Amino acid sequence: MLNKLILLFLLSATCMTGQTKSNTKVETYTSRKKLYEIKYAPERWIRADTSDWDVEFHDQYNLVTAYFIEYDYFISDKKLKSTIEDEYKEFGKIKNLKIYKKKINDLTVNYFECELDYNDLLYKYQGFIYNGKGGSIQMQFGAQAEAIEQNKDIIDELSNGISIVK
């Protein structure tokens, strides 16, 4: 009897997983130069237009914000650290900046992670810069430290949604 209950539970869990994946709606944001696209699930990421970045997303609870921009120039590996530090200088000094190579889909990117003390709250930022056709692109995620850790799966999902338009 116990084996039948376990089997029934496993079968129902498998069916529920299949239904969840097939019902997930996917939308696509195409970059302004039409070189990159980001596939995202609108029930997890809400798209917002912004004047500072090409596009901005936030999670459904408005805890994590993702920013994407296409630059009309290249950011060299030598200038990565100073470029990232300059982005945050008006908010304070960043600390624990780590930059490393990471593979996202077919792109080898310069991935970064850092922390920022702002108004006595610890914020974490992470993201990547990629030099490709037409210049550089940057995608970054920011939130209070706890929100970054709790939402790692949807951050990875949105990061993995970027690809080159073929």
Side-chain angles (χ1 to χ4, degrees):
M1 181 66 178
L2 181 61
N3 287 341
K4 287 183 182 180
L5 285 174
I6 292 172
L7 179 61
L8 182 61
F9 173 75
L10 290 174
L11 287 174
S12 65
T14 303
C15 291
M16 292 302 285
T17 302
Q19 287 177 349
T20 303
K21 288 185 180 180
S22 65
N23 291 336
T24 300
K25 183 179 175 189
V26 175
E27 291 187 11
T28 302
Y29 166 78
T30 304
S31 67
R32 63 182 162 83
K33 292 183 182 180
K34 312 274 187 262
L35 298 173
Y36 302 93
E37 63 184 16
I38 303 170
K39 294 193 183 307
Y40 64 98
E43 69 268 7
R44 288 188 287 279
W45 288 102
I46 298 158
R47 182 177 157 195
D49 293 320
T50 175
S51 59
D52 295 333
W53 295 81
D54 291 346
V55 69
E56 183 179 308
F57 299 91
H58 59 83
D59 71 308
Q60 64 185 9
Y61 303 110
N62 210 18
L63 294 173
V64 179
T65 305
Y67 308 93
F68 174 84
I69 193 166
E70 242 178 340
Y71 298 111
D72 296 330
Y73 54 87
F74 296 98
I75 300 171
S76 70
D77 286 354
K78 290 180 185 178
K79 298 233 180 216
L80 278 173
K81 183 178 180 184
S82 63
T83 299
I84 294 166
E85 288 173 338
D86 284 348
E87 287 182 0
Y88 301 104
K89 69 182 173 190
E90 68 183 79
F91 304 109
K93 186 171 175 71
I94 63 169
K95 50 187 179 176
N96 300 324
L97 176 60
K98 298 175 202 156
I99 302 172
Y100 52 92
K101 298 284 185 193
K102 183 176 179 177
K103 190 93 164 159
I104 298 178
N105 295 328
D106 294 332
L107 309 175
T108 301
V109 302
N110 291 303
Y111 206 87
F112 68 89
E113 298 175 10
C114 62
E115 297 174 345
L116 176 70
D117 252 332
Y118 182 69
N119 289 338
D120 295 325
L121 295 172
L122 180 63
Y123 286 86
K124 284 192 175 183
Y125 291 89
Q126 64 184 51
F128 57 87
I129 295 174
Y130 172 75
N131 288 317
K133 188 176 181 180
S136 295
I137 60 169
Q138 180 178 357
M139 181 173 237
Q140 74 176 29
F141 301 88
Q144 283 184 269
E146 299 83 3
I148 290 286
E149 299 305 318
Q150 292 174 5
N151 291 289
K152 187 81 173 127
D153 56 338
I154 66 168
I155 290 170
D156 290 342
E157 176 187 288
L158 188 59
S159 289
N160 291 326
I162 194 161
S163 62
I164 296 174
V165 174
K166 304 217 178 198

